[in-house]
Amino acid sequence: AQKITQTQPGMFVQEKEAVTLDCTYDTSDQSYGLFWYKQPSSGEMIFLIYQGSYDEQNATEGRYSLNFQKARKSANLVISASQLGDSAMYFCAMREIDFGNEKLTFGTGTRLTIIP
Amino acid sequence: NAGVTQTPKFQVLKTGQSMTLQCAQDMNHEYMSWYRQDPGMGLRLIHYSVGAGITDQGEVPNGYNVSRSTTEDFPLRLLSAAPSQTSVYFCASSYVRDRGNEQYFGPGTRLTVT
C-alpha cells in the first residue's frame, strides 16, 4: 500500500486564487511528521511547511497552510492568493521512525500551473 | 554554510561502468540520505545513515553502496551502472530524532546510463 498518496497529477489555477493540493497518508505510528516540498523547474527541493502528528493547530507559513485531518489521515496543502512563481511540482512527505530507523517517504507529486 | 553540496551535477556513464556520487554537508547533521527521482514516481529512498559508521537500506538499495566514515560526507557508489539507474539523485541531511526537522536537499545529480 502507498504510504503517501497524491491523487492530483496536475492542476491549473488562475492567478490570485487559492489552491488546495491533496495528500493522504498511511501509517500505524502514533508519532510522525508530515512535510510539503516545492520543486520548481530548476530542480531544487524547497521545504515549505511541517505538521507534527501531535500538533493540535494546523501549521501555517506565510501563504502556505496545512489542513491536517488526523482521523482522515489527510494533510492537504493550501496556498492562498496564488502567484505565477508558485508554478512547480509539489511533494507531500511523511517522516516515521521505525525500530530506530528514520524514513522519509514521498508521494508522486502534483504539478501546479498558475495561469495569468 | 554551504549547506548540502553534490558533485557532479551531470554525468553520463556507459553500462557496466562504476562511479561515486559525492555528497557533503557542513551543518553537523547526523542524518544523511540518498534519493532517486524518476518521472511519475516521486523521490525514493536508496540508503540512509543516522551517523558516522551507521548506514541502512531504504526502499530501492539494489545496485548502490554507501559508507559514512565522517559526519560530513556520504558518498553513493554505483558498482556496475545499468540503464535503469538513469535518474536524478538527491542527497539530503537533517538533525535526527526530531520529526520536525526539515531535510535539506542538495542540488541533485542528473545521471544518464547508456
Side-chain angles (χ1 to χ4, degrees):
Chain A
Q2 292 289 333
K3 289 250 182 189
I4 296 284
T5 302
Q6 295 181 253
T7 57
Q8 306 151 310
M11 289 185 70
F12 291 85
V13 173
Q14 203 75 38
E15 190 180 7
K16 298 189 178 64
E17 288 186 352
V19 56
T20 298
L21 305 181
D22 295 340
C23 173
T24 57
Y25 60 91
D26 182 26
T27 181
S28 55
D29 283 2
Q30 295 301 309
S31 181
Y32 51 88
L34 296 157
F35 298 80
W36 278 92
Y37 283 86
K38 173 183 178 182
Q39 187 178 42
S41 56
S42 51
E44 72 267 33
M45 297 290 287
I46 301 168
F47 166 76
L48 295 179
I49 197 166
Y50 164 79
Q51 179 85 41
S53 58
Y54 291 121
D55 295 342
E56 294 187 353
Q57 305 271 7
N58 284 345
T60 61
E61 290 284 349
R63 292 186 301 114
Y64 304 107
S65 60
L66 200 152
N67 184 0
F68 181 47
Q69 298 188 42
K70 193 170 181 176
R72 297 181 60 192
K73 293 189 175 178
S74 77
N76 297 340
L77 177 71
V78 180
I79 307 173
S80 63
S82 56
Q83 302 170 356
L84 296 177
D86 293 333
S87 293
M89 282 289 288
Y90 288 81
F91 292 97
C92 180
M94 177 172 63
R95 187 172 198 163
E96 303 168 284
I97 293 185
D98 181 24
F99 297 105
N101 297 319
E102 299 238 352
K103 291 186 180 171
L104 188 67
T105 306
F106 284 81
T108 53
T110 296
R111 182 172 298 281
L112 176 64
T113 303
I114 306 300
I115 306 165
Chain B
N1 284 354
V4 181
T5 58
Q6 289 183 240
T7 55
K9 290 186 73 73
F10 301 94
Q11 183 70 49
V12 179
L13 290 179
K14 292 189 184 331
T15 297
Q17 286 184 317
S18 62
M19 80 158 295
T20 299
L21 307 186
Q22 301 291 345
C23 174
Q25 52 89 12
D26 61 358
M27 297 173 281
N28 205 31
H29 286 165
E30 306 100 321
Y31 185 83
M32 296 186 75
S33 53
W34 278 101
Y35 297 88
R36 59 177 289 173
Q37 184 178 25
D38 303 301
M41 303 197 71
L43 279 78
R44 292 182 293 168
L45 182 64
I46 305 171
H47 284 286
Y48 64 97
S49 168
V50 297
I54 306 168
T55 63
D56 208 342
Q57 297 181 349
E59 183 185 353
V60 288
N62 292 342
Y64 308 95
N65 272 1
V66 292
S67 60
R68 184 96 180 268
S69 55
T70 66
T71 300
E72 295 78 19
D73 300 297
F74 191 45
L76 178 73
R77 279 182 285 279
L78 281 70
L79 306 173
S80 178
S84 61
Q85 294 177 303
T86 293
S87 189
V88 180
Y89 291 83
F90 287 97
C91 178
S93 74
S94 70
Y95 292 109
V96 78
R97 300 279 179 249
D98 183 338
R99 289 166 181 77
N101 284 318
E102 66 174 282
Q103 292 218 18
Y104 292 80
F105 283 83
T109 294
R110 186 173 294 273
L111 175 68
T112 303
V113 183
T114 61

